[in-house]
Amino acid sequence: SAAPIPISDWLPRFKSLLASGDTDACTLWETNKLTIGNQLPTHVVEKVSAAMEVFDFDLAGRELEVGSVFAAGIHGVETKQHTLP
């Protein structure tokens, strides 16, 4: 199987696809969802997934912005991760 794409590689492309309403965003999301789950807060992944299921790319983009600050901090900036039971 293919190695997961680092968030720094797929996130800008994913945002671009969402902004242009390109359905390739769905494929990119589904292909990387497991990896995404380890790179973004769970609630963000769930909200983006729900928006993607109904092809609401605008909502998915807004929900993703919530996680972008977290995602930007993954490489080189230490962040506190909270896990829910």
Side-chain angles (χ1 to χ4, degrees):
S1 65
I5 300 171
I7 196 167
S8 59
D9 293 343
W10 67 260
L11 188 59
R13 174 164 165 69
F14 184 60
K15 286 181 175 182
S16 175
L17 292 170
L18 289 176
S20 63
D22 191 324
T23 56
D24 283 349
C26 296
T27 303
L28 185 61
W29 182 255
E30 287 302 317
T31 302
N32 292 285
K33 193 161 40 174
L34 292 177
T35 302
I36 294 162
N38 294 323
Q39 298 177 1
L40 292 173
T42 302
H43 69 279
V44 174
V45 174
E46 290 172 354
K47 288 180 179 181
V48 173
S49 290
M52 294 301 291
E53 286 176 13
V54 295
F55 302 99
D56 190 340
F57 298 149
D58 292 335
L59 178 59
R62 288 193 302 272
E63 295 295 352
L64 192 60
E65 288 302 317
V66 172
S68 291
V69 171
F70 178 87
I74 288 175
H75 300 285
V77 177
E78 188 172 329
T79 60
K80 292 183 181 179
Q81 294 185 16
H82 303 281
T83 54
L84 299 175

